[in-house]
Amino acid sequence: MPEIRNPRTIYIFVTGGYDSIFRMCQLAMSHTPVQGIYLNLPNVDGTLHHRRNAKQEMSAIHAVVKELRRMGYGQYIYPIQVVTELKLSNLVRNTCNRFYKSGCWTRPVTQYVYMMELSLQMNKIIETGVLCDPDAVVYNTIGKYINPRTKMLDIDQVATAGDFELMIFRNLKFPLCGNTKEQMLIYAKKNGFDHILKKTISCWFPDSRGNPCGRCNMCKDRIKF
């Protein structure tokens, strides 16, 4: 029999990074059931851009969950769902390829392609830890259509503009949109979980010991504690 979930359960993509772990902690510590989803896919960023941090990311996620359980919030965290296979539909693949050809995206396949695909296949609203930085591909594509209240795609506004291709984003939610890492750190310190954020990893290409490379975009954007 399928597991019965609390109807208040929030589904969220987690990477072991600062932003998504912040949101997981925020939800669990507000007594909201959380189902984390980790995309462990070899082509999550395209065939020419293989990250080497899956092992370190999973290790960071487990360390975070262990600490939240120690703090008494384990009952609000479901076991992490790890996705190792996900076939892209022609609709999602072709639409994202058009985003790339139009100059909106830097690569035809990114992690957001798989996020959109899974959210549509599961037919569930899934949160992301994306901050919607003006320089990021998501903001560049749908930033002006994100409803500031729901933090989701404003379907009515999309329909009015006639940008129906953007409907593939309809099941993604961006709860941290409009926040900065500095604001999130202040919140974490106030609510007693900034030490957990130190357990996160922000590197695409760590060395064999798990040390950050210091050169990738994630390392450069890493907040200083």
Side-chain angles (χ1 to χ4, degrees), residues 97-165:
N97 192 49
R98 285 194 287 273
F99 292 156
Y100 168 66
K101 290 182 177 179
S102 68
C104 290
W105 288 23
T106 56
R107 298 189 303 277
V109 177
T110 72
Q111 61 179 327
Y112 305 110
V113 178
Y114 288 95
M115 287 180 178
M116 289 184 289
E117 183 64 58
L118 187 63
S119 70
L120 293 172
Q121 287 191 19
M122 292 178 64
N123 194 28
K124 288 187 178 296
I125 293 173
I126 306 180
E127 293 192 354
T128 80
V130 179
L131 298 187
C132 300
D133 187 297
D135 295 326
V137 295
V138 169
Y139 188 88
N140 188 34
T141 310
I142 64 167
K144 63 181 179 180
Y145 295 119
I146 295 178
N147 186 301
R149 180 180 61 82
T150 66
K151 300 300 178 72
M152 293 184 66
L153 188 71
D154 190 323
I155 295 177
D156 291 336
Q157 189 178 356
V158 169
T160 300
D163 290 342
F164 295 107
E165 285 188 332

Side-chain angles (χ1 to χ4, degrees), residues 6 8-11 27-28 31-35 75-78:
N6 187 310
R8 295 176 55 244
T9 300
I10 298 295
Y11 290 74
L27 289 169
H31 301 174
T32 301
V34 185
Q35 173 60 72
Q75 61 183 307
Y76 302 107
I77 305 174
Y78 288 104

Side-chain angles (χ1 to χ4, degrees), residues 174-199:
F174 306 90
L176 301 180
C177 186
N179 290 274
T180 66
K181 294 181 186 294
E182 290 74 20
Q183 290 172 329
M184 291 156 59
L185 182 57
I186 291 173
Y187 179 97
K189 288 180 177 179
K190 182 178 179 179
N191 290 276
F193 67 91
D194 55 301
H195 67 291
I196 296 182
L197 297 183
K198 295 179 181 179
K199 299 177 182 293

Side-chain angles (χ1 to χ4, degrees), residues 200-219:
T200 61
I201 178 173
S202 301
C203 178
W204 284 346
F205 311 109
D207 63 22
S208 59
R209 295 185 178 182
N211 299 313
C213 70
R215 299 183 299 276
C216 70
N217 290 338
M218 296 300 290
C219 280

Side-chain angles (χ1 to χ4, degrees), residues 28-90:
M29 295 179 71
S30 64
H31 301 174
T32 301
V34 185
Q35 173 60 72
I37 301 173
Y38 180 75
L39 297 178
N40 188 11
L41 302 165
N43 295 332
V44 72
D45 278 307
T47 57
L48 300 178
H49 192 80
H50 288 294
R51 299 183 187 183
R52 298 194 299 266
N53 61 353
K55 181 178 179 180
Q56 289 81 4
E57 287 187 338
M58 284 302 302
S59 178
I61 292 171
H62 289 314
V64 167
V65 171
K66 181 178 180 180
E67 177 61 11
L68 284 171
R69 286 173 177 162
R70 186 195 69 78
M71 295 173 67
Y73 300 103
Q75 61 183 307
Y76 302 107
I77 305 174
Y78 288 104
I80 301 298
Q81 177 181 342
V82 180
V83 179
T84 57
E85 293 183 10
L86 184 61
K87 183 177 180 180
L88 295 177
S89 65
N90 289 333

